[in-house]
Amino acid sequence: MLWAANQFFRKFSTTTVYFQNKLRLALIGQSVFGQEVYSNLRKEGHKVVGVFTIPDKDGKADPLAVAAEKDGTPVFKFPRWRLKGKPIPEVVDAYKAVGADLNVLPFCSQFIPMDVIDNPKHGSIIYHPSILPRHRGASAINWTLIHGDKKAGFSVFWADDGLDTGPILLQRVCDVEPSDTVDSLYNRFLFPEGVKAMVEAVQLIADGKAPRIDQPEDGATYEGIQKKENAQICWDSSAEEIHNWIRGHDKVPGAWTIINDQIVTLYGSTLLEGAVPTGEPLPIEGASKSGLVTKNGLVLFGKDGKMLLVKNLQFEDGKMIPASSYFSMGDVAVLELTEEEKALESHIRDIWKGILSNVAVIEDTTDFFKSGAASMDVVRLVEEIKQKCAGLELQNEDVYMATTFQDFMQMVVRKFRGEDKEELVIDYVTLNVNNMTVNMPYQCFINGQFVDSDSMKTCDTINPTDGSVLCKVSFCSVADVDKAVAAAKEAFENGEWGKMNARDRGRMLYRLADLMEEHQEELATIEALDSGAVYTLALKTHVGMSVQTFRYFAGWCDKIQGSTIPINQARPNRNLTFTKKEPLGVCAIVIPWNYPLMMLAWKSAACLAAGNTLVLKPAEVTPLTALKFAELAAKAGVPKGVINILPGSGGVVGQRLSEHPDIRKLGFTGSTPVGKQIMKSCAVSNLKKVSLELGGKSPLIIFNDCDLDKAVRMGMGAVYFNKGENCIAAGRIFVEDSIHDEFLRRVVEEIKKMKIGDPLDRSTDHGPQNHKAHLDKLLNYCEIGVKEGATLVYGARQVPRPGFFMEPTVFTNVEDHMYIAQEESFGPVMVISKFKDGDVDGVLARANSTDYGLASGVFTRDISKAMYVSEKLDAGTVFINTYNKTDVAAPFGGFKQSGFGKDLGEEALHEYLRTKAVTVEY
């Protein structure tokens, strides 16, 4: 009976860790990777019966040994396993004595005899940083980069007596990004996913489910270990081949060349596109063309004439410098430290002492690496400084470039003072206009830099006031989209932005809003030139509301919260369930031409406040304020890759953004037909989240008990605000019969007082339409209205002057079936229909008889009638006795074919967040 009960308990409890299949393991290896594999295997319940690692170096134990000794696990530190090619008997005997079922080799630099490899009943498994059989050997991941492979990854394989030729147990694959190095691949994928895979592989063996897949010979390669003497750059290569050679050797052993009779090692390579930058020539031995020392680094040329940029240079004495400072070496003065900086110095000296435990005193001349530090000590130093020095951000490269304590502290202090900020290089189109000098960037903005498009194509952007060309703007391609998305993904997953706390993110957005306000006159002038917006309106609304939007969402950054949830299973077990609000990742934003800057702000501010990165496509005809915004964002300190601006066509850039697999959300404002196509592409590609603010035919109902003066004034604003290029414009006005004629008379009287002219003239009421194609469409719209029998009361003509000006237009006697009663004009066209006195429900039925539901309005003094009408109107926004009164705190978005999702207000944040539920038993 006792036996039966025990069997029942075992069967019932097989999901718990105590009765899963577990193994006795011998870990053979070293490094932090080995330490993580060791710790995670123990957490899973496997018993590590022995750890075999390398001897202490400079009095410091390997991280794997440190962790095992702390746990009381037997640790063996053999300097070698073989002597003269034969196993050392006492070493092998010591190994066999632990009685392992399986050998796990997570990272092993020693040659292990086959007597040991084959000894356990399950043999041995090894981690290898390559997708076998593509590259074998100790430099496999280097060769992945050197060959320019598009895929990288790792294998866990069964060891045999060959060189990485044993059967495959499992593999994992990742994409290789254009500027990946061995370090970035390890940090992003090979290390974290490798640890998980090693633990998974052991459990598969324990459960008897581990495959043995023979490696094919087809595609198998072996290329020798990369050594310094073999790493010289061959200049008879393309720029991409040179770039791959440099990044394939970064950081070890380092690709080198001869400059001024010195061996110089090159680090931090990226491919460079666009025009050749200005710089000071630097002859390089063997190269057909001199390099250029520029503000951003050393520009090099391949035999194909294409360019690459190198960030850092290292000399034979080990000193590393920014490549941009090659000609100014030795010119940097030693900084005098403030009292605060001296306290920082003392703190950092303690951190060095904690890492260099074998050094008695940290002097100014103490060299980090000559004192025994290794690459993982670099990581530790960077992380400890970040944690203990008020979030001071360093990169691993900073340590390699300042190896003595004095040089390191000078570098830290410069960062602390903000003197290390990379200068943003911008080519401007400069205009002296509107009593100011306006500087307009015209290149696409990708990964923190203004660059020409991949195809070098440009597109004219036109001043609608006179039809002249303002400038030629970069016209982006699919390749540019892919680069921008890759930059945004890197910034989100591995960059400073993804690590930044919410309050710091808010401070950065406040700083951006302040800069936009400082440049408000310049932004409003650009908006007037590029879109035709009246300057005074652009200053107040286009720019003013954009500033308000960024300030509003900056305040939300540290107020995004989840919640705790009581669940049924909370007792008798102790359970806690809570939700987290998380950013989505890379978001795409596609905006229209009517409010170029404001539409950018409405979507981007919420997106960034939520912690996402973005790739934004401005309208093809109005890209200039978006590019100026990119400049201000960079000056505000927004990290590279977080904001990317891609001027170009909707058919190319917009379509690629819809289809891109790495984009998790797309926000679009534009026409309903394009919105439908975007939604379809987003669904087919990767089911990315979508929010759409589309067309409108917003009804405005004016009852005979209204304040008629106000109704006329607000009704005209509802139609003619921003030249009628307004998504919520009153597309159809319903006027109660008894006041129709008086309303019409007053409207025409007021139109005649409106000044049509140059938008930069402070007295102008009505500027040009945005572009010629739109003007032509509006004139055709009016022709259709006349042909269908509507009464043209005023306008419907182009103003006889240069530019794209149209007279404000009024139609009345518009019947419900007519084209102009059904379709949006998106211009200065007032469409008036009568309704019978007292017919509230009748006019509501007519108002709702549209495919759209963006906005609506009602004018009446009867509050009961107003509330009844507002309840019945099928629209996302209802204005009562006002119109166009949007606010950054109020959600904005439509119903039906006007789209879904909200801009502005707290609800807009949720468009750029996801909710994760977490349940913990404790």
Side-chain angles (χ1 to χ4, degrees):
M1 218 29 219
L2 182 61
W3 177 86
N6 190 44
Q7 287 297 98
F8 173 80
F9 183 72
R10 279 179 176 271
K11 183 177 180 181
F12 184 77
S13 305
T14 52
T15 57
T16 69
V17 70
Y18 305 106
F19 294 98
Q20 285 179 356
N21 299 311
K22 299 301 171 187
L23 297 176
R24 293 167 56 85
L25 306 174
L27 245 72
I28 306 174
Q30 63 197 76
S31 81
V32 175
F33 184 78
Q35 176 191 15
E36 286 294 309
V37 171
Y38 162 82
S39 299
N40 280 274
L41 285 170
R42 292 185 77 247
K43 287 178 185 176
E44 289 297 313
H46 297 284
K47 182 172 180 58
V48 179
V49 294
V51 164
F52 298 84
T53 186
I54 58 173
D56 296 353
K57 181 180 179 182
D58 297 321
K60 296 175 64 178
D62 183 81
L64 173 57
V66 171
E69 288 170 343
K70 184 178 178 181
D71 295 331
T73 302
V75 176
F76 303 85
K77 302 177 181 180
F78 300 135
R80 63 183 64 85
W81 292 70
R82 299 189 314 172
L83 188 62
K84 296 182 179 180
K86 294 184 178 182
I88 302 172
E90 55 269 29
V91 172
V92 174
D93 289 344
Y95 159 76
K96 290 181 177 179
V98 302
D101 300 324
L102 173 71
N103 292 332
V104 179
L105 286 74
F107 179 81
C108 184
S109 61
Q110 297 172 310
F111 191 97
I112 311 301
M114 292 308 298
D115 305 53
V116 172
I117 293 293
D118 291 338
N119 182 71
K121 66 178 181 180
H122 292 299
S124 301
I125 59 169
I126 303 179
Y127 171 90
H128 188 73
S130 169
I131 309 167
L132 294 173
R134 173 63 177 142
H135 297 292
R136 294 172 173 156
S139 293
I141 196 63
N142 301 75
W143 287 107
T144 295
L145 295 171
I146 291 166
H147 282 284
D149 293 353
K150 302 302 182 187
K151 297 288 183 182
F154 59 81
S155 307
V156 178
F157 70 101
W158 301 91
D160 67 357
D161 58 356
L163 187 66
D164 310 332
T165 57
I168 303 297
L169 196 162
L170 61 78
Q171 295 189 318
R172 297 287 184 269
V173 179
C174 69
D175 292 328
V176 178
E177 302 295 346
S179 295
D180 264 329
T181 63
V182 173
D183 274 0
S184 68
L185 279 173
Y186 262 110
N187 293 336
R188 185 177 81 245
F189 187 81
L190 300 180
F191 187 107
E193 295 303 317
V195 172
K196 295 176 188 175
M198 287 297 283
V199 175
E200 180 184 342
V202 170
Q203 193 59 54
L204 286 171
I205 295 168
D207 295 338
K209 298 177 181 179
R212 290 177 178 264
I213 304 166
D214 289 339
Q215 289 191 47
E217 292 187 10
D218 184 39
T221 67
Y222 175 77
E223 291 162 294
I225 295 173
Q226 280 304 91
K227 298 181 178 179
K228 193 71 175 182
E229 57 267 28
N230 301 326
Q232 185 173 7
I233 296 168
C234 172
W235 293 104
D236 188 27
S237 307
S238 69
E240 184 172 4
E241 289 169 336
I242 296 169
H243 164 65
N244 288 336
W245 185 261
I246 294 172
R247 70 184 181 131
H249 291 81
D250 190 341
K251 294 286 186 294
V252 178
W256 56 274
T257 190
I258 304 295
I259 302 176
N260 288 333
D261 299 323
Q262 284 192 81
I263 292 177
V264 179
T265 305
L266 282 54
Y267 297 106
S269 172
T270 54
L271 291 170
L272 187 63
E273 299 174 0
V276 177
T278 56
E280 192 170 349
L282 178 63
I284 297 171
E285 186 175 299
S288 59
K289 188 174 182 179
S290 292
L292 291 173
V293 176
T294 72
K295 293 179 179 179
N296 293 325
L298 175 61
V299 175
L300 303 170
F301 298 87
K303 69 175 183 180
D304 54 358
K306 294 185 177 181
M307 299 178 289
L308 60 146
L309 180 73
V310 171
K311 288 288 188 182
N312 300 318
L313 306 176
Q314 187 175 38
F315 299 95
E316 291 178 77
D317 62 1
K319 182 176 179 59
M320 187 181 283
I321 65 165
S324 58
S325 65
Y326 182 85
F327 288 115
S328 57
M329 288 185 294
D331 294 345
V332 180
V334 176
L335 300 174
E336 290 291 331
L337 305 189
T338 65
E339 291 303 315
E340 183 182 8
E341 290 162 353
K342 287 178 182 177
L344 179 65
E345 178 186 42
S346 176
H347 209 39
I348 291 176
R349 197 182 297 271
D350 290 341
I351 294 173
W352 274 52
K353 183 69 180 75
I355 296 171
L356 304 177
S357 55
N358 55 309
V359 177
V361 179
I362 304 297
E363 307 282 358
D364 284 352
T365 56
T366 300
D367 189 286
F368 193 68
F369 296 103
K370 291 178 181 177
S371 300
S375 59
M376 287 313 302
D377 295 311
V378 173
V379 176
R380 178 181 168 185
L381 176 60
V382 168
E383 289 302 311
E384 284 200 30
I385 287 176
K386 178 182 176 182
Q387 290 174 1
K388 299 177 182 178
C389 298
L392 182 64
E393 292 281 351
L394 299 180
Q395 303 298 322
N396 292 358
E397 289 78 5
D398 296 325
V399 185
Y400 290 103
M401 293 174 65
T403 60
T404 67
F405 184 77
Q406 183 180 49
D407 288 346
F408 185 80
M409 272 310 306
Q410 291 283 303
M411 176 271 297
V412 166
V413 170
R414 285 191 166 87
K415 282 185 176 290
F416 186 71
R417 295 179 182 180
E419 296 177 7
D420 66 313
K421 296 297 182 185
E422 195 173 285
E423 185 177 347
L424 185 64
V425 178
I426 310 174
D427 288 334
Y428 291 117
V429 170
T430 300
L431 296 176
N432 292 310
V433 62
N434 201 23
N435 299 316
M436 68 181 75
T437 299
V438 176
N439 293 312
M440 300 182 295
Y442 61 87
Q443 297 167 293
C444 43
F445 187 73
I446 299 174
N447 202 25
Q449 293 183 314
F450 284 101
V451 293
D452 292 326
S453 65
D454 182 76
S455 64
M456 301 298 291
K457 287 184 179 179
T458 60
C459 180
D460 292 342
T461 187
I462 305 297
N463 184 345
T465 301
D466 58 12
S468 64
V469 175
L470 283 168
C471 64
K472 293 182 178 294
V473 176
S474 291
F475 205 63
C476 292
S477 65
V478 168
D480 297 306
V481 176
D482 292 345
K483 290 175 192 173
V485 173
K489 184 180 180 185
E490 175 66 17
F492 180 78
E493 294 180 351
N494 302 307
E496 178 187 347
W497 185 254
K499 302 170 187 174
M500 188 180 297
N501 71 59
R503 203 153 293 169
D504 288 341
R505 187 164 68 244
R507 276 195 289 267
M508 190 168 285
L509 294 184
Y510 275 122
R511 191 155 60 244
L512 175 54
D514 290 344
L515 278 170
M516 292 170 69
E517 189 169 53
E518 287 175 27
H519 290 262
Q520 61 182 336
E521 289 88 359
E522 186 178 17
L523 286 166
T525 301
I526 296 171
E527 197 90 324
L529 292 171
D530 205 21
S531 77
V534 173
Y535 174 76
T536 51
L537 176 65
L539 195 61
K540 179 179 184 295
T541 301
H542 291 232
V543 179
M545 194 172 189
S546 299
V547 173
Q548 290 176 29
T549 302
F550 269 96
R551 287 202 174 119
Y552 174 81
F553 283 107
W556 265 111
C557 288
D558 61 355
K559 300 171 186 67
I560 299 170
Q561 299 176 1
S563 58
T564 57
I565 303 170
I567 60 172
N568 286 342
Q569 294 82 10
R571 294 291 185 271
N573 296 323
R574 297 173 66 82
N575 288 291
L576 169 67
T577 296
F578 61 91
T579 60
K580 297 172 63 182
K581 296 288 187 179
E582 298 179 340
L584 299 170
V586 181
C587 297
I589 291 173
V590 180
I591 57 173
W593 43 257
N594 59 326
Y595 294 103
L597 185 64
M598 195 170 78
M599 291 296 99
L600 176 153
W602 280 23
K603 287 179 162 53
S604 299
C607 173
L608 296 169
N612 302 285
T613 57
L614 70 89
V615 180
L616 182 140
K617 191 198 91 66
E620 183 177 337
V621 292
T622 54
L624 295 181
T625 44
L627 294 171
K628 188 67 180 180
F629 168 81
E631 175 193 345
L632 299 179
K635 288 181 177 178
V638 176
K640 66 177 186 178
V642 174
I643 294 172
N644 303 271
I645 308 292
L646 301 180
S649 72
V652 175
V653 176
Q655 186 63 32
R656 179 56 179 158
L657 290 172
S658 302
E659 296 170 345
H660 202 292
D662 289 333
I663 290 174
R664 299 310 316 164
K665 159 72 193 280
L666 191 146
F668 172 74
T669 295
S671 72
T672 297
V674 175
K676 290 179 178 179
Q677 179 59 43
I678 283 175
M679 191 171 176
K680 180 179 178 181
S681 298
C682 288
V684 170
S685 59
N686 64 342
L687 275 177
K688 57 176 65 70
K689 189 176 182 181
V690 181
S691 58
L692 303 171
E693 195 253 280
L694 307 176
K697 190 65 176 174
S698 300
L700 172 58
I701 303 172
I702 300 177
F703 289 100
N704 61 13
D705 61 352
C706 70
D707 178 338
L708 191 56
D709 288 339
K710 186 175 184 182
V712 169
R713 186 175 69 255
M714 292 276 186
M716 290 186 67
V719 176
Y720 301 126
F721 187 81
N722 199 48
K723 312 158 296 173
E725 295 167 353
N726 187 21
C727 52
I728 59 172
R732 192 175 179 195
I733 299 181
F734 295 92
V735 182
E736 204 159 9
D737 204 348
S738 58
I739 61 168
H740 171 271
D741 293 349
E742 180 62 15
F743 177 84
L744 184 62
R745 185 189 67 77
R746 294 193 191 188
V747 164
V748 173
E749 187 178 277
E750 292 302 316
I751 286 175
K752 290 177 180 178
K753 298 176 185 176
M754 291 171 65
K755 180 179 178 180
I756 303 172
D758 184 350
L760 294 176
D761 185 334
R762 304 311 193 261
S763 64
T764 294
D765 299 304
H766 192 83
Q769 304 309 135
N770 188 275
H771 51 282
K772 187 176 187 304
H774 184 54
L775 172 63
D776 293 341
K777 179 183 173 183
L778 287 171
L779 295 173
N780 182 63
Y781 182 91
C782 293
E783 287 178 12
I784 294 171
V786 172
K787 287 178 182 177
E788 287 191 330
T791 302
L792 175 62
V793 179
Y794 193 91
R797 293 174 299 185
Q798 182 174 358
V799 178
R801 58 171 292 165
F804 312 136
F805 293 86
M806 178 180 176
E807 291 180 338
T809 300
V810 181
F811 280 98
T812 192
N813 296 321
V814 179
E815 298 178 13
D816 295 352
H817 67 274
M818 292 179 179
Y819 178 82
I820 63 172
Q822 296 293 322
E823 295 300 322
E824 181 180 28
S825 71
F826 212 65
V829 182
M830 183 178 285
V831 176
I832 303 175
S833 298
K834 298 179 185 177
F835 69 96
K836 292 181 181 179
D837 284 12
D839 189 12
V840 176
D841 289 327
V843 75
L844 277 169
R846 295 172 68 191
N848 287 330
S849 182
T850 171
D851 290 334
Y852 303 107
L854 188 57
S856 59
V858 55
F859 278 83
T860 176
R861 286 190 172 98
D862 184 338
I863 189 63
S864 296
K865 185 192 298 182
M867 296 308 294
Y868 175 79
V869 170
S870 70
E871 182 181 324
K872 295 297 182 181
L873 282 169
D874 197 5
T877 297
V878 180
F879 298 108
I880 299 176
N881 294 327
T882 187
Y883 209 88
N884 282 329
K885 192 165 283 186
T886 54
D887 187 86
V888 295
F892 179 91
F895 300 159
K896 299 189 287 188
Q897 292 196 43
S898 289
F900 52 84
K902 297 295 182 183
D903 291 323
L904 304 180
E906 181 182 358
E907 288 194 37
L909 276 175
H910 301 301
E911 299 293 335
Y912 295 92
L913 292 165
R914 64 185 186 183
T915 302
K916 178 182 287 182
V918 180
T919 297
V920 183
E921 184 173 313
Y922 59 99

